[in-house]
Amino acid sequence: MLTADRTLRQKMGPRSPQFGGTVAAGFTVFRNSITAVCADGTLVPAGSTGTPSALVAILGLARHMQINTANFPGTGPGVGGSTAVDCLTGCYDLPFSDTAPTWADKGKPVYAVDDETVSLTQTPEGGTARLQVGVFAGIDADGTPYTEI
């Protein structure tokens, strides 16, 4: 057992694989939004309704903004449905929408409420089941909770 602080070296390994796809017609994903993939392979913001097919998984956080709406006045790489959006994985300080997790929640599943927030509750009362984003990783010294995607 340690009786004093020690210093350890840490090796940073590769992140988990990043997958992506094109944004579904009529949707926009923003950089660092929690992004879901539909059964047809297109991407939408987590928690979206009116999607082209059922939401089946959370891919991660969108690497960049992509607009695929017919009424957006502009052109460029961030507009249209042909540019793929990769989704980042890792450990992030995603805000919790309801009760803040505690250390007793370490390792528990974390679910997407929408493209911005998460929860430890899979199915809210009177609601439908949410997609799992990842697991609760821990709490930083300043009290910030982190989710491993």
Side-chain angles (χ1 to χ4, degrees):
M1 301 294 279
L2 288 175
T3 59
D5 291 344
R6 67 176 180 170
T7 302
L8 298 173
R9 296 174 82 183
Q10 180 182 12
K11 291 186 184 248
M12 298 303 290
R15 289 183 181 249
S16 298
Q18 294 178 17
F19 294 94
T22 57
V23 176
F27 290 89
T28 297
V29 295
F30 294 95
R31 184 171 60 94
N32 289 328
S33 64
I34 302 169
T35 305
V37 62
C38 298
D40 68 358
T42 59
L43 305 181
V44 296
S48 292
T49 59
T51 58
S53 57
L55 302 180
V56 293
I58 298 293
L59 287 189
L61 303 180
R63 184 181 280 277
H64 68 272
M65 180 182 75
Q66 190 69 33
I67 302 164
N68 193 10
T69 59
N71 61 352
F72 184 77
T75 60
V79 178
S82 61
T83 301
V85 176
D86 284 335
C87 293
L88 304 170
T89 57
C91 193
Y92 296 95
D93 62 341
L94 300 174
F96 280 75
S97 67
D98 46 17
T99 306
T102 68
W103 278 109
D105 298 312
K106 183 167 172 46
K108 287 185 179 177
V110 173
Y111 303 95
V113 173
D114 52 33
D115 67 341
E116 180 181 9
T117 57
V118 295
S119 174
L120 292 171
T121 304
Q122 180 180 20
T123 307
E125 188 174 326
T128 57
R130 299 168 174 158
L131 294 175
Q132 185 174 346
V133 173
V135 296
F136 178 60
I139 303 169
D140 202 0
D142 67 1
T144 302
Y146 281 80
T147 300
E148 180 74 30
I149 302 172

